[in-house]
Structure formats: C-alpha cells, structure tokens
Amino acid sequence: RKEVEQDPGPFNVPEGATVAFNCTYSNSASQSFFWYRQDCRKEPKLLMSVYSSGNEDGRFTAQLNRASQYISLLIRDSKLSDSATYLCVVNSHGGATNKLIFGTGTLLAVQP
Amino acid sequence: ETGVTQTPRHLVMGMTNKKSLKCEQHLGHNAMYWYKQSAKKPLELMFVYNFKEQTENNSVPSRFSPECPNSSHLFLHLHTLQPEDSALYLCASSHPAGTKNEQFFGPGTRLTVL
C-alpha cells in the first residue's frame, strides 16, 4: 500500500463548480498534514496545512479524519486559475522528523 | 516570491560529466532537502540536512553527492549519471523537525542526461 494515496484525476469541472479531493495515508503516527499546489512545470507551493478541527482559507476547506486516516480538500466556486495539480502531503513519522511523503497528486482542470 | 533559489534552472549533461546543482534559501531556515520528481511519479525525498548535518539519505545512489556548507546553502554534486536520472530536482527548506515544518521549494533544476 502506498503511504499516501490520491485519485490522480483529471477532474474536469466548469467555472463556479465545487470540487472535492480525497487522500488516504497509511501511517497512523503521522501528525502533520498539508495540501500543496503544483502548476505545470513549476515547483510545489504550500496551499494550506490541515488541522484536526478542520480549517478554511477563503474558498478552500481542508478536513482531517484521523480515525479513517483520510484528508480532504474542498474548493468552492472554482476559478480558471485553480487549474493545477493538488498534492496531499503527510509527515511520515509524526512531529519528530521532517520527512514529508507526497502523494502523486490530483490534476484539476477548470473549464470556462 | 520564493525565498529559495536554485541554479542552474536547466542542465543537459553527458553520462561522463561532473556537474553541481546549487540551492540557496533566504528564509532563515535550518533544514534543507533535495527531492527528485520524475514524470508521473510523486516527489521522492533524496536527502535531508538539519543544522548542516545530513539526517536522511533515502537510499540514493552514490553518483549523487550532497554538500551543505552552511544552513543557507545546499549543493548536489553529480557524476557518471544515467539517462534514467533525468528529472526535475527540487530543493526545499523548512524550520527543523519538531517545529512548524512546512517546506518551501525552489523552482527546481530540470536535468537531462544524455
């Protein structure tokens, strides 16, 4: 089983749509979770950290379910500029190390 | 804009060449990383340095040799590479383990080995 699994997509959605991405992780000791965004031929950039209580940043909402080892990202009112690959990222050994494990990413294409 | 810079941005080299990739961070971090990103694969961690000390070598072949002279600079020395080593090599930095450890990436070096 992969340490971090994501649906690779692509997700093709119209502008204004709501889209949700899911991610599962295998290491129950993981403590830190992130969503990164990667544009084509660019470096990954931190989109948001994911907290146990869930957190929201504008149109983006992240949720964490520790019992199911599941992370989600919800994007509301999609914009053309949201088109990118979204990477689910997990700290592999809790907070004691800074080794991050990346999923393969989910490709989002927002259509006009 | 990113506080992590990488040079060169593109590199083409033969299998017998020796070259080096450079990374510099201006974020006051004490941890630096090398990653490899191949097509259709997730980012693969190669090396981790905390306070200039290597703390992780993810079974990387010896033809890749990292160097961290100080907390702001990281090098990846390359020699006798193989065509399958062609990839995007990304440098990142963060605060050390045990603190907020979001990692910030440089723009990468796109390497082609002929």
Side-chain angles (χ1 to χ4, degrees):
Chain A
R1 182 184 172 186
K2 291 180 185 176
E3 290 192 71
V4 178
E5 292 206 60
Q6 294 182 252
D7 180 345
F11 283 58
N12 295 298
V13 302
E15 273 187 286
T18 295
V19 60
F21 305 138
N22 302 318
C23 168
T24 57
Y25 60 95
S26 60
N27 187 344
S28 59
S30 299
Q31 295 293 323
S32 303
F33 310 91
F34 311 94
W35 283 102
Y36 276 73
R37 169 193 170 133
Q38 187 171 22
D39 292 290
C40 187
R41 303 186 72 83
K42 295 285 187 73
E43 73 274 21
K45 292 185 178 179
L46 179 67
L47 178 65
M48 58 198 303
S49 301
V50 186
Y51 303 118
S52 296
S53 54
N55 47 300
E56 186 174 311
D57 183 2
R59 298 181 292 109
F60 299 84
T61 301
Q63 296 279 349
L64 169 64
N65 183 321
R66 287 187 184 274
S68 302
Q69 294 179 208
Y70 168 99
I71 307 160
S72 66
L73 177 68
L74 183 77
I75 305 176
R76 290 180 298 278
D77 189 23
S78 299
K79 311 290 184 192
L80 294 175
S81 57
D82 293 335
S83 297
T85 296
Y86 290 83
L87 303 169
C88 176
V89 184
V90 175
N91 180 299
S92 69
H93 296 297
T97 75
N98 44 9
K99 180 177 177 179
L100 298 184
I101 305 298
F102 287 75
T104 52
T106 298
L107 179 61
L108 172 66
V110 181
Q111 315 287 344
Chain B
E1 288 302 314
T2 181
V4 182
T5 58
Q6 288 186 245
T7 55
R9 295 292 305 276
H10 300 272
L11 178 62
V12 179
M13 60 187 289
M15 289 190 285
T16 58
N17 292 159
K18 288 186 180 181
K19 296 286 184 184
S20 295
L21 309 186
K22 179 182 176 182
C23 175
E24 184 173 359
Q25 60 94 4
H26 310 275
L27 299 169
H29 292 155
N30 284 299
M32 296 188 77
Y33 314 79
W34 279 116
Y35 287 88
K36 175 183 179 182
Q37 188 173 35
S38 304
K40 308 293 185 187
K41 288 187 175 181
L43 269 78
E44 300 171 55
L45 179 67
M46 300 175 72
F47 301 102
V48 180
Y49 278 83
N50 280 285
F51 295 95
K52 302 188 297 178
E53 299 297 320
Q54 187 182 123
T55 54
E56 183 89 25
N57 177 336
N58 202 25
S59 303
V60 181
S62 60
R63 57 186 184 271
F64 295 91
S65 174
E67 179 190 359
C68 188
N70 55 62
S71 293
S72 299
H73 293 85
L74 186 65
F75 295 89
L76 188 63
H77 304 300
L78 316 172
H79 62 98
T80 60
L81 294 192
Q82 305 298 312
E84 60 264 29
D85 295 323
S86 299
L88 180 67
Y89 289 85
L90 290 158
C91 173
S93 71
S94 77
H95 293 293
T99 63
K100 288 183 65 174
N101 54 5
E102 294 95 335
Q103 294 182 15
F104 296 86
F105 286 83
T109 294
R110 191 161 295 279
L111 173 67
T112 302
V113 182
L114 302 177

